[in-house]
């Protein structure tokens, strides 16, 4: 009986290792190309990974923050995608460089006219935005990701301070401090010239991450098999000694 309990404990511990080692699912995020400084302009990328093995991502809807409206939001054209920009009237007009702005972009929708984001791939959806607010440290964008089988994943949960990341977190853009001259214009010409090299490095990093994850999973499987083998040996030895 003691051997049986030890074997069961070992198996449970091995299973716990498997659960704790399982990689978290990727989700829709937003990151600046370069910096996103308060009061300035920036190009931001909404990164959309495909988490399904049997369906493609065919639509992305991003809702812009109503508490800090952006006077300008210009999406970059992407082959294979139709883009619709929705604007809404503002309750309080914005003062941008001495000009009153009475409406702002409230939502951008990308709809695939081809295969979309297929399993095993991700897509970046760039948008030039500004002027970024000077009185906020971050902006929250809520996103809906639609798959070819009509499943909709709602990336709309806002994380609260001191709590764990929610299951479907909304994309959050962190703003940096304003530059010395009080303005920021996003990526520089040098950033653009280095874009190709950066893309290659990102692809290499992604491949490396995938290999590391596979190695960790295989290692955990080996631990489980080993633990089960040890447990079987203990039980077999116990039975022989009892006989």
């Amino acid at each position: 009986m003691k051997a049986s309990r030890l074997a069961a404990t070992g198996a449970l511990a091995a299973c716990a290792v498997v659960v704790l080692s399982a990689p978290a699912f990727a989700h829709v995020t937003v990151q600046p190309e370069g910096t996103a400084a308060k009061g300035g302009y920036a190009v931001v990328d909404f990164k959309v990974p495909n988490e399904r093995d049997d369906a493609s991502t065919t639509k992305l809807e991003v809702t812009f923050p109503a508490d800090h409206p952006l006077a300008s939001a210009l999406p970059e054209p992407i082959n294979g995608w139709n883009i619709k920009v929705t604007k809404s009237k503002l309750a309080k007009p914005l003062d941008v460089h001495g000009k009153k702005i009475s409406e702002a972009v409230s939502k951008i929708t990308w709809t695939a006219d081809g295969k979309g984001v297929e399993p095993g791939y991700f897509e970046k959806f760039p948008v030039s935005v500004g002027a970024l607010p000077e009185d906020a440290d971050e902006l929250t964008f809520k996103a809906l990701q639609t798959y070819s089988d009509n499943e909709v994943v709602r990336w709309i949960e806002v994380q609260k301070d001191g709590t764990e990341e929610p299951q479907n977190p909304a994309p959050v853009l962190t703003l940096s401090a304003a530059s010395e001259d009080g303005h920021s214009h996003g990526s520089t010409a040098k950033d653009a010239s280095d874009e190709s090299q950066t893309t290659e490095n990102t692809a290499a990093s992604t491949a490396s991450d995938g290999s590391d994850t596979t190695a960790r999973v295989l290692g955990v499987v080996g631990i489980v098999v080993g633990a089960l083998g040890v447990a079987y040996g203990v039980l077999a030895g116990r039975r022989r000694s009892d006989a």
Side-chain angles (χ1 to χ4, degrees):
M1 292 297 293
K2 184 176 180 181
S4 298
R5 287 195 296 270
L6 289 174
T9 301
L12 288 174
C15 291
V17 171
V18 173
V19 172
L20 293 175
S21 301
F25 287 113
H27 47 76
V28 175
T29 58
V30 58
Q31 293 292 336
E33 294 183 6
T35 60
K38 297 178 180 180
Y41 290 77
V43 174
V44 299
D45 294 328
F46 292 94
K47 181 179 177 181
V48 181
N50 192 322
E51 297 180 325
R52 301 292 181 267
D53 296 327
D54 56 357
S56 298
T57 295
T58 56
K59 188 177 182 180
L60 173 68
E61 299 171 79
V62 175
T63 299
F64 281 62
D67 54 344
H68 293 288
L70 300 175
S72 174
L74 305 174
E76 179 178 315
I78 305 176
N79 290 333
W81 293 86
N82 295 318
I83 305 174
K84 179 182 178 181
V85 178
T86 302
K87 295 185 178 181
S88 299
K89 291 289 184 180
L90 298 175
K92 182 180 179 181
L94 297 175
D95 187 352
V96 180
H97 303 305
K99 182 180 179 181
K100 294 293 183 181
I101 305 297
S102 60
E103 65 177 15
V105 173
S106 56
K107 183 170 70 172
I108 298 180
T109 303
W110 291 265
T111 304
D113 58 11
K115 295 181 179 180
V117 186
E118 297 182 87
Y121 293 87
F122 73 87
E123 183 86 53
K124 287 184 178 179
F125 298 83
V127 182
S128 174
V129 296
L132 297 172
E134 299 179 357
D135 57 349
D137 295 322
E138 61 184 25
L139 295 177
T140 300
F141 299 82
K142 296 184 178 182
L144 301 182
Q145 180 181 10
T146 301
Y147 286 90
S148 55
D149 59 2
N150 294 323
E151 178 185 4
V152 179
V153 181
R154 301 169 63 83
W155 304 101
I156 62 173
E157 298 180 66
V158 179
Q159 183 173 0
K160 298 180 180 179
D161 293 339
T163 63
E164 295 183 356
E165 183 180 65
Q167 183 176 357
N168 294 315
V172 176
L173 176 66
T174 300
L175 304 182
S176 60
S179 58
E180 293 182 0
D181 61 1
H183 299 283
S184 173
H185 300 284
S187 303
T188 64
K190 184 177 184 301
D191 293 332
S193 67
D194 292 341
E195 181 178 355
S196 177
Q197 183 63 41
T198 301
T199 302
E200 292 177 2
N201 292 340
T202 300
S205 176
T206 301
S208 175
D209 291 344
S211 298
D212 291 344
T213 299
T214 301
R216 287 196 296 269
V217 171
L218 291 176
V220 170
V221 171
I223 293 173
V224 173
V225 172
L228 293 176
V230 171
Y232 178 79
V234 171
L235 287 174
R238 179 66 176 175
R239 289 170 181 167
R240 286 195 296 269
S241 63
D242 291 342

